[in-house]
Amino acid sequence: MRITLSLIKADVGSIGGHTQPSADMLAAVRERIDGAVHEGMIIDSYVSYTGDDIAILMSHTRGEDNAGVHELAWNAFLEATDRARRDGLYGAGQDLLADAPSGNVRGAGPAVAEIEFEHDLTKPRPAESFMMFAADKCGPGAYNLPFYLGFADPMYCAGLMLPKMIRGFTFRIIDMERTDADYALELDAPEDAYRIAALLRDNERFAIESITSRTYSDKAVSISAQRLHSIAGEYTGKDDPVALVRNQGIFPAPEELLQPFTKAHYVGGDARGSHNMPLMPVPVNTAVTGAYCLPVVSCVGFSLSADGHFSREAADFFDNPAWDETRRKAQHKALEMRSQGWSGPAMLPYTELEYGGFRNTVEELLEQFRAQD
Ligand code: 13P
Ligand code: MG
Ligand code: MG
């Protein structure tokens, strides 16, 4: 059977500032999504939050970009928005930018990652295991370095040297600055590894949209590579990207994919979407309450049964003492960066400042400069 995994997330309100959604908002989403499972519209679901973003994971047979599935997620977010508004929560409905989606929530605010594949539990996928990533307080480029290393660098993924992966992977990269159309480029690792790096070094402009096996033509990764501020034309919060990553067998193993996250690398986002701060791995359903935020990422693993159901339990990868060291490192790197306040790399460059207000302040001053004789 052809199975589609759809991961759709939105920030539609949070408690006490941009920290976490309320239990009531999550209940509203779960109620609506459970109803769709009950009616047989989708097969299974998993609703979680990372910081102030609610992520809905669904399995179904309706394919990618399915109007019914997207509307289902949209309506679930609308109900959560109603509850957020009723309780006076912060940023109610923040990511629902259009009045109603025209059958597809892409470009309407929510972040979308989807993968459709043949699911019959025979070779080359005798077992289907995958991970969902959700990151808060950062943009889609936050995944550039870790997924490049996981899918193109044998120093991180020794599995790339095995026959099933040695031909490498195709990276589909999108240019997030250009919003009149979707501009994408496909480059093959390992031959084009340096070219891929040349683009992915710019986290704010270029992002990986998908990664596909060159041997099996199976998609391994899908990332919600949209930029809300490019789409909406004004600041509406950071994009806070989600990603689906299939693992094992013909793809890298979880440990190979997660090793790069021990870097707690600096990414754009954080407070007011305007700073560079380290990405800290956290358990799923963690609020963002640290000093000066800290961008966070969660990762949950699932297996998929023959009929498309998720394993009863999910593996919460970052909910493990093994990650305490990385979390301490992230805090340390954050304190170092914050000690220089607004200076240089501590904040994003002028062109990337998310809040229009920063730009307005500088523009007002620019007008007052006078050429000296
Ligand atoms: P969110 O995009 O998660 O709402 O964060 C907004 C922000 O600017 C944090 O300071
Ligand atoms: Mg928010
Ligand atoms: Mg958020």
Side-chain angles (χ1 to χ4, degrees):
M1 79 204 279
R2 304 249 346 136
I3 282 275
T4 303
L5 299 174
S6 296
L7 178 58
I8 306 184
K9 82 91 218 176
D11 173 355
V12 289
S14 48
I15 309 166
H18 40 235
T19 59
Q20 65 176 89
S22 67
D24 207 32
M25 291 167 64
L26 290 161
V29 171
R30 288 198 178 106
E31 208 172 296
R32 175 57 81 113
I33 302 294
D34 286 352
V37 173
H38 194 70
E39 286 161 18
M41 171 175 186
I42 55 174
I43 300 171
D44 210 347
S45 69
Y46 177 83
V47 174
S48 62
Y49 68 91
T50 299
D52 58 10
D53 299 300
I54 299 177
I56 308 172
L57 172 67
M58 296 170 276
S59 62
H60 57 91
T61 54
R62 293 165 186 270
E64 295 179 19
D65 287 323
N66 178 265
V69 171
H70 281 223
E71 269 164 27
L72 169 65
W74 182 269
N75 290 332
F77 289 134
L78 275 182
E79 272 161 41
T81 299
D82 284 347
R83 307 227 181 157
R85 283 219 173 94
R86 183 198 64 198
D87 294 343
L89 301 191
Y90 178 77
Q94 175 185 286
D95 283 354
L96 306 185
L97 302 177
D99 283 342
S102 48
N104 191 323
V105 299
R106 279 181 209 272
V112 182
E114 297 186 300
I115 307 185
E116 183 182 10
F117 52 89
E118 196 56 44
H119 182 60
D120 53 16
L121 297 183
T122 59
K123 281 189 175 172
R125 296 290 285 164
E128 182 58 49
S129 54
F130 70 94
M131 303 137 112
M132 62 162 265
F133 289 83
D136 189 27
K137 311 292 181 247
C138 57
Y143 295 121
N144 284 2
L145 180 63
F147 291 162
Y148 172 87
L149 295 176
F151 283 88
D153 189 339
M155 284 290 284
Y156 289 82
C157 177
L160 293 170
M161 294 183 274
L162 300 176
K164 287 177 180 164
M165 282 185 269
I166 201 148
R167 283 192 55 216
F169 290 88
T170 300
F171 285 68
R172 188 176 157 85
I173 297 169
I174 76 153
D175 181 347
M176 297 180 289
E177 288 297 316
R178 301 170 78 177
T179 50
D180 58 310
D182 286 341
Y183 290 88
L185 175 65
E186 292 195 351
L187 292 171
D188 291 332
E191 300 92 298
D192 289 326
Y194 297 168
R195 290 186 178 86
I196 295 171
L199 294 176
L200 296 186
R201 51 159 287 285
D202 187 345
N203 284 350
E204 311 310 322
R205 176 161 186 179
F206 300 103
I208 302 168
E209 189 183 60
S210 65
I211 302 176
T212 302
S213 162
R214 295 174 70 192
T215 306
Y216 297 92
S217 303
D218 257 57
K219 205 195 269 189
V221 174
S222 172
I223 297 173
S224 62
Q226 300 112 24
R227 278 188 56 159
L228 292 187
H229 89 135
S230 304
I231 295 167
E234 61 181 57
Y235 181 76
T236 46
K238 262 286 175 191
D239 312 77
D240 302 340
V242 288
L244 286 168
V245 182
R246 298 166 74 199
N247 64 26
Q248 303 279 31
I250 62 172
F251 303 128
E255 60 273 28
E256 292 165 329
L257 294 164
L258 294 182
Q259 176 67 24
F261 287 89
T262 62
K263 290 182 185 304
H265 64 302
Y266 289 108
V267 298
D270 200 75
R272 304 185 188 282
S274 305
H275 295 78
N276 282 311
M277 284 284 263
L279 183 64
M280 180 169 74
V282 293
V284 73
N285 302 326
T286 295
V288 168
T289 55
Y292 236 81
C293 293
L294 233 56
V296 296
V297 60
S298 67
C299 173
V300 186
F302 299 87
S303 286
L304 202 63
S305 72
D307 60 359
H309 282 90
F310 301 138
S311 43
R312 227 171 268 266
E313 293 90 26
D316 188 345
F317 279 101
F318 295 140
D319 186 14
N320 186 296
W323 292 95
D324 288 348
E325 197 58 31
T326 301
R327 286 191 266 272
R328 264 193 297 275
K329 178 166 147 185
Q331 286 296 333
H332 183 72
K333 289 180 70 167
L335 290 173
E336 287 297 315
M337 190 58 111
R338 288 314 315 139
S339 74
Q340 67 177 64
W342 41 259
S343 178
M347 287 191 83
L348 286 173
Y350 179 73
T351 47
E352 292 299 333
L353 289 176
E354 291 282 348
Y355 273 81
F358 281 119
R359 284 213 281 263
N360 298 345
T361 302
V362 174
E363 263 155 36
E364 236 179 79
L365 294 169
L366 283 176
E367 280 168 22
Q368 297 174 39
F369 276 71
R370 296 285 171 265
Q372 302 296 296
D373 305 327

